[in-house]
Each structure stands twice: as C-alpha cells, then as structure tokens.
Amino acid sequence: MRLSLLLLLLLLPGPPPAPGMEDAAFPHLGESSQPPPRACPQRCSCPRADTVDCNGLDLQVFPDNITRAAQHLSLQNNQLQELPYNELSRLSSLRTLNLHNNLISSEALGGPPVSAPLPPSCGSGCQPSDGDLPAYLWGEARAQLSNAGLPPDAFHGSEAVVILSLSSNRLSYLPPSLPPSLERLHLQNNLISKVPRGALSRQTHLRELYLQHNQLTDSGLDATTFSKLRHLEYLDLSHNRLASVPAGLPRTLAVLHLGRNRIRGVEAARLRGARGLRYLLLQHNQLGATGLPAGALRPLRGLHTLHLYGNGLDRVPLALPRRLRALVLPHNHVTTLGARDLAGTPGLAELNLAYNRLVSARVHRRAFRPLRALRSLDLAGNLLTRLPGGLPGGLHTLRLQRNQLRALEPEPLAGLDQLRELSLAHNRLRVGDIGPGTWHELQALQVLDLSHNELSFVPPDLPEALEELHLQGNRISHVGPEAFLSTPRLRALFLRANRLHMTSIAPDAFLGLLHLSVVDTAGNPEQVLVRLPPTTPRQPRAGSPRARRGPTV
C-alpha cells in the first residue's frame, strides 16, 4: 500500500517554479544546448566572429544585421547604390574595408572640401597583422564608385580602419575625410586628377599609398600633399601624367614608384627630403639625354636600386649614389662605356644594360674593373662582336644573348671561377671560332646557353660542373660517343630544332651521365632515338631507409 502511494506521488507533476528560480544549467523544453547561431547578413558568410564577407552577391542595398564586432568587411563585386553613414558609423571596430566594384551613388559632394578633424585613432591596439586579413577580402575587381557615392561624412565614426580599398572606381579626386588611422590606402585605377590640399594631413599613420593608374598631373599635387605622412614607406604614382618628381616627399619613404609618367627632368631639390629612399623606379619616362643631370640623385645616399628602363638615355648617368647596389638601364640608347663611367658606384651588385646600342669598339677594357662586388651583368641585345674584357671575378651571371658575337677567346673569361650562368644564345658562334681552353677557368659554371648559333657539333671540353646545356636551334647533325665526357654532372640537355636523324646520337653518348634526366630532341628532321644509361643507386646516408632509383627513359 505504501509502495503504491509512493509511486503515485512520483508520477504527479510538481508545483511550478517561482519566477527567476529556473536552473540555468539545463535547457528548457524545445531549447537546444548548442550556442545560438552567429548573426550574419542574409546570403553573406561570416567565417569568423569578426569577419563579414558579402563579395559578389549583386547586393543593391547595404546589408543590415552586420555585427558591431565586425573588423573585416568585404563588399566588392556588388551593386550598392549608396554608402550610408549611419551603417558605417555603427561599425566602430572596423579595421579593413573593401569597396571594390559597386555602383554607389548618393548626394553630390559639391566640390572637394576637407571636413573637420576626425576623432583620434584607436592607437596601436587596432593595428592588424598580415595574418589577420583574410586573403579573399582583397581580390582583384573593377568598380564603378564615383565621388557622388561618398558623402563628406561617409567614414565618420570609422576611426579604427587601418586598411581601406577604393581602387578601380571612378573617383576624380582623393576622397576627403578619410579615417586618420589608415595605414594602407588603395586608390589605384581611378580617374583621380587632384589631391585636395590638406586631404592627407591627418593620415599620419599611413605607411602605404597606392595611386597608380590615375590621371594625376603636377597641378594636382602641391608641396604639402605628402609632407604630413611622416610614416609613409611606399608610394606608387606610376601610370599617371606627372612631368616632374613630386615635392615634399617624407623622409621615411623607402619605395617611390614613378614609372610610366611624362617626367622630363629630375631635380635634386625635389629629393632632399626623401633621404631614406631605397628604391627609385623611373622606367618609361622621357628623361632623354639631359633629364638626369650629374648629381641629381646625390641626396639619396642610401639608394639601393635605380630603375631607368626605357628613358632614351644616351649614356650611364654620372655621379650616382655611391652605395647603389642595382642599376637597371635596359632599352635606352647607350652607345659607349668609358673607363670611369661606373667608377662612382663600386658597390654595384647588379648592372643591366640590355638592349642598348653598345658596340665593342666603344666599351673600354677597364669599364667593368671597378665593380668588384658585381654579381649579375646583363648585356643582352646590344651590338657586341666580342666578349668585353676586365670582367669582375665575382660574377655569378653573365648574359650576352642576342648580340653579334662571332668568336670566343679564353682571355675575357679568365678568372671567372665563380660564374654559374652564361648565356650566349642568338649569336653567330661556330665551333671553330671557340678558342681552345675557353671554358677552362669556368669551374663553377652550371648553366650554359649556346642555343640559336651556328654550331655543327657539341663544343669539346665543356666545364665539368655543367648541369644544364642549351644547344637547340643550331646545325648539329651528329653527337659522338665522347661529346659529354667532360660533363659528368649533366642533368638537362636541349638539342631540339637541329639537324639530327634517328641514329645521329651515338648509343654510348650518354654513358656515365648518371644525373641526366632530360634530353629534348623535338623538332629535328626525324624522331631521334635516345637511350639514357641506367642510374645506379646512391649509397644511403646513415639512418636513412635504402631507396633504389630506377632508370630514366
């Protein structure tokens, strides 16, 4: 009886819990023990709590329900009609904002004013590391954003933004009232012809500024445009319409890209403020014979690389910075190299004079002698008929393709025992014009390109260290059994487009070439029979598993 009564009491429902007395450790009926779903705009993705990706959704309205915690917002490849101030101002934690490829339009700006000062930035705590920025936020795009779609207060309240991309839009001038906390600003591929005075006066944290592919002219900039950017390190003004180097460059600037403008002259006074400049890129301008006078670059004492590709220069510029390490001068009109033309830059490690008009008679025998640190010399595409003399013994790479070389002698190559790559392609060399002992001192040579010459057979006594040999495009009709006895380390051999037939290569021509894995004989009159010797297994190192390498066919 008592047992039945106890069971009945257990089955009866208990009294309702008092308000506020629920046990939070247990879910109520119909509830899940899983955390609630992360708030995310419809159709967008939110791979992280601080990231909202609405890329390529054809959105016509700025998405709502963006979490206030968002730090990375991607809105490229949409059809947004406006950039609402109230939405951006609400996202006070935003650090990266991508606005590629939209159709934003709102009230016109009515000219390019500069708004009142913005509140101070949030400081170093808001600076993202490279790993914080998802790669997909910065994909390539084409936008149609105009200044009419950016009201003066568009970025008011976005004091934490450090990376902003407005590239590939239709902006006609640099937008006013940009966040003062910016560290990287992308404005390339617009129609910008003017930077309003003071527009960049508050962006003192800016380190990288991209303004290439716009319509900037000298009148669109003034001496104060960049002068307040005391942390600026990278400035790209290439592909504009500038006729001179901008004034007021900051001391912190390390890279200045001015390629493909209309610059006719470089004044030393314009560069005095940029004493920390390391890389100056002036390719494809209009400097001509007088645009870079002696000493114009003297203020740049720490300059590492000077790029002057395609400027119509008729000689190597004089009085260059003494510490210069790379001088790039291809596709100019240089015809002469005097004994002292390069003496002022003894620290050069790379010299590129390709595709000029150098002739052997006007290259002094001591022209390269001062360059003891030189490691790479490019003289391709000139009119040289013989190898230049006095080459530095520390050279690693020497390019002489597409000249008019007719003979090789041992003397110019003497002492080049560190040379690793030599290109002699597209010349007029014949085997009989290669003097005995020419290759003797090239003990470190690994790559030799003799393609597209007039060789009738493989040159003898090639360097022992050779690993890659280019002989394509010659007149070789036979490869004898002793052709490669001097090159036991050969790995790749190119014999295409010669005059070889099926049995032109001796059966034992490759005997002993245990590392040979590539033999290219395509493009000959007949399919060539190639027999590679079987490779023998190498002795395994102590503790490593024994591995057997099969023959290569």
Side-chain angles (χ1 to χ4, degrees):
M1 184 64 156
R2 292 180 178 179
L3 181 59
S4 299
L5 183 59
L6 180 60
L7 291 173
L8 181 61
L9 291 173
L10 290 173
L11 293 173
L12 290 175
M21 298 296 293
E22 293 90 346
D23 189 348
F26 295 92
H28 296 289
L29 185 64
E31 292 182 344
S32 170
S33 60
Q34 300 297 322
R38 183 182 300 164
C40 190
Q42 187 177 6
R43 298 173 60 204
C44 299
S45 63
C46 301
R48 300 189 322 195
D50 63 352
T51 300
V52 179
D53 179 17
C54 302
N55 172 24
L57 300 178
D58 292 329
L59 299 177
Q60 297 183 5
V61 179
F62 195 93
D64 56 9
N65 197 31
I66 297 178
T67 173
R68 290 178 180 270
Q71 296 184 24
H72 308 296
L73 176 58
S74 175
L75 288 168
Q76 76 267 35
N77 301 314
N78 285 291
Q79 300 181 29
L80 300 179
Q81 298 296 314
E82 60 181 352
L83 189 62
Y85 153 73
N86 59 330
E87 287 292 341
L88 280 181
S89 62
R90 186 176 64 85
L91 305 177
S92 58
S93 298
L94 203 60
R95 295 162 63 186
T96 62
L97 175 59
N98 191 342
L99 289 167
H100 282 292
N101 197 24
N102 280 281
L103 300 169
I104 295 177
S105 62
S106 61
E107 68 274 17
L109 289 176
V114 178
S115 67
L118 297 177
S121 66
C122 60
S124 60
C126 292
Q127 297 177 2
S129 65
D130 291 340
D132 288 335
L133 182 62
Y136 57 77
L137 288 179
W138 304 107
E140 292 292 332
R142 290 291 180 269
Q144 296 179 354
L145 179 67
S146 65
N147 285 94
L150 288 175
D153 56 357
F155 299 106
H156 188 74
S158 305
E159 284 76 37
V161 175
V162 294
I163 301 178
L164 172 62
S165 179
L166 287 165
S167 60
S168 300
N169 289 283
R170 293 182 179 177
L171 302 175
S172 59
Y173 55 85
L174 194 142
S177 304
L178 292 171
S181 54
L182 280 178
E183 294 183 5
R184 188 188 307 166
L185 176 58
H186 291 266
L187 290 166
Q188 63 266 33
N189 294 304
N190 277 283
L191 304 173
I192 296 174
S193 60
K194 182 178 181 61
V195 178
R197 188 177 182 86
L200 292 171
S201 61
R202 304 178 187 90
Q203 285 68 39
T204 56
H205 299 283
L206 197 63
R207 293 185 294 108
E208 300 175 25
L209 177 56
Y210 300 86
L211 281 165
Q212 67 267 33
H213 289 279
N214 277 286
Q215 299 178 10
L216 286 168
T217 61
D218 290 358
S219 62
L221 306 174
D222 60 44
T224 67
T225 299
F226 307 112
S227 61
K228 303 293 185 181
L229 304 178
R230 57 177 179 265
H231 289 99
L232 191 66
E233 298 173 359
Y234 186 99
L235 176 59
D236 193 339
L237 291 167
S238 61
H239 295 266
N240 277 282
R241 302 175 182 178
L242 301 175
S244 60
V245 177
L249 297 172
R251 183 180 298 270
T252 55
L253 195 62
V255 180
L256 177 58
H257 199 330
L258 292 168
R260 293 191 180 274
N261 276 278
R262 302 173 182 177
I263 298 174
R264 295 181 176 272
V266 177
E267 302 175 19
R270 293 290 182 101
L271 296 171
R272 287 197 181 102
R275 295 183 182 274
L277 199 63
R278 299 275 291 163
Y279 298 87
L280 177 56
L281 310 178
L282 284 164
Q283 66 270 27
H284 290 292
N285 276 282
Q286 301 172 16
L287 295 178
T290 60
L292 194 61
L297 304 180
R298 191 169 290 163
L300 308 178
R301 296 182 179 179
L303 192 66
H304 179 282
T305 297
L306 175 59
H307 202 314
L308 292 167
Y309 184 115
N311 267 282
L313 302 175
D314 62 357
R315 64 172 301 163
V316 175
L318 299 177
L320 294 174
R322 189 170 180 82
R323 298 177 184 175
L324 193 67
R325 297 284 291 170
L327 179 57
V328 185
L329 288 166
H331 291 276
N332 279 284
H333 303 156
V334 179
T335 60
T336 304
L337 275 182
R340 304 291 299 171
D341 285 358
L342 299 169
T345 53
L348 273 184
E350 177 187 350
L351 176 58
N352 190 333
L353 285 164
Y355 297 96
N356 276 275
R357 300 175 181 178
L358 291 171
V359 296
S360 293
R362 294 185 179 180
V363 178
H364 199 279
R365 66 182 185 278
R366 292 195 298 268
F368 302 106
R369 189 165 294 176
L371 307 181
R372 297 181 179 179
L374 197 64
R375 298 294 178 265
S376 175
L377 176 59
D378 194 339
L379 295 171
N382 280 280
L383 304 171
L384 302 175
T385 55
R386 61 178 182 267
L387 295 180
L391 296 175
L395 268 182
H396 292 171
T397 303
L398 177 58
R399 297 186 177 92
L400 287 159
Q401 66 268 27
R402 295 188 183 277
N403 276 276
Q404 298 178 13
L405 300 177
R406 296 178 179 272
L408 296 179
E409 297 295 336
E411 184 179 356
L413 298 175
L416 300 184
D417 55 1
Q418 298 182 42
L419 193 65
R420 300 171 185 172
E421 181 180 345
L422 175 59
S423 179
L424 296 165
H426 291 277
N427 279 283
R428 301 179 179 180
L429 295 172
R430 299 181 180 182
V431 175
D433 297 325
I434 301 177
T438 294
W439 320 110
H440 179 69
E441 296 197 34
L442 304 183
Q443 301 173 7
L445 194 66
Q446 298 176 349
V447 179
L448 176 59
D449 192 345
L450 288 165
S451 63
H452 300 282
N453 277 279
E454 300 175 10
L455 305 177
S456 55
F457 56 91
V458 178
D461 301 321
L462 293 172
E464 182 178 350
L466 203 61
E467 297 183 2
E468 187 175 316
L469 178 58
H470 293 261
L471 294 170
Q472 63 267 30
N474 277 281
R475 303 173 180 178
I476 298 173
S477 59
H478 177 71
V479 178
E482 300 180 355
F484 305 108
L485 287 180
S486 64
T487 57
R489 303 178 188 177
L490 199 62
R491 296 178 179 272
L493 174 63
F494 299 90
L495 287 164
R496 69 165 48 222
N498 274 280
R499 299 178 179 180
L500 298 172
H501 293 269
M502 182 179 297
T503 58
S504 293
I505 298 179
D508 51 353
F510 304 134
L511 191 64
L513 302 182
L514 303 182
H515 305 285
L516 188 63
S517 59
V518 175
V519 178
D520 182 3
T521 59
N524 279 280
E526 292 181 1
Q527 185 176 357
V528 181
L529 182 63
V530 176
R531 295 178 181 177
L532 296 184
T535 57
T536 57
R538 298 179 180 179
Q539 294 297 326
R541 296 179 181 178
S544 64
R546 181 178 295 275
R548 180 173 294 275
R549 181 181 171 193
T552 303
V553 180

